[in-house]
Amino acid sequence: VEVEAEAVSYIVTNHLGLDSSSESYVSGYLGQFGEIPRAVSIDWISKVAGKILERSRVKLPKRKGTT
């Protein structure tokens, strides 16, 4: 579901202190229903956002041939 991807985007960008339009998209989408639709998995959103943030903390080794 597209709103799940936008929710992940909102969590990650908010955590990193970046601006994003995802907040308005998610709130607008959910505002249509008055509750979270069954097709939207809060568990999936949380897991994916957590994995992205976890990997953002890993320092990558320098590429060979660069200074």
Side-chain angles (χ1 to χ4, degrees):
V1 178
E2 183 179 351
V3 73
E4 290 172 321
E6 291 288 342
V8 169
S9 173
Y10 170 72
I11 292 168
V12 172
T13 56
N14 188 48
H15 181 80
L16 297 175
L18 303 171
D19 289 331
S20 169
S21 62
S22 294
E23 178 181 8
S24 61
Y25 178 87
V26 172
S27 64
Y29 179 87
L30 296 178
Q32 296 175 14
F33 300 99
E35 61 184 39
I36 299 171
R38 290 182 186 214
V40 175
S41 172
I42 300 299
D43 184 54
W44 183 88
I45 293 168
S46 176
K47 285 179 182 177
V48 172
K51 284 288 188 188
I52 292 170
L53 290 170
E54 179 183 305
R55 291 179 184 200
S56 74
R57 292 186 283 270
V58 174
K59 187 171 182 172
L60 298 174
K62 289 187 178 183
R63 290 176 31 178
K64 293 180 182 180
T66 61
T67 55

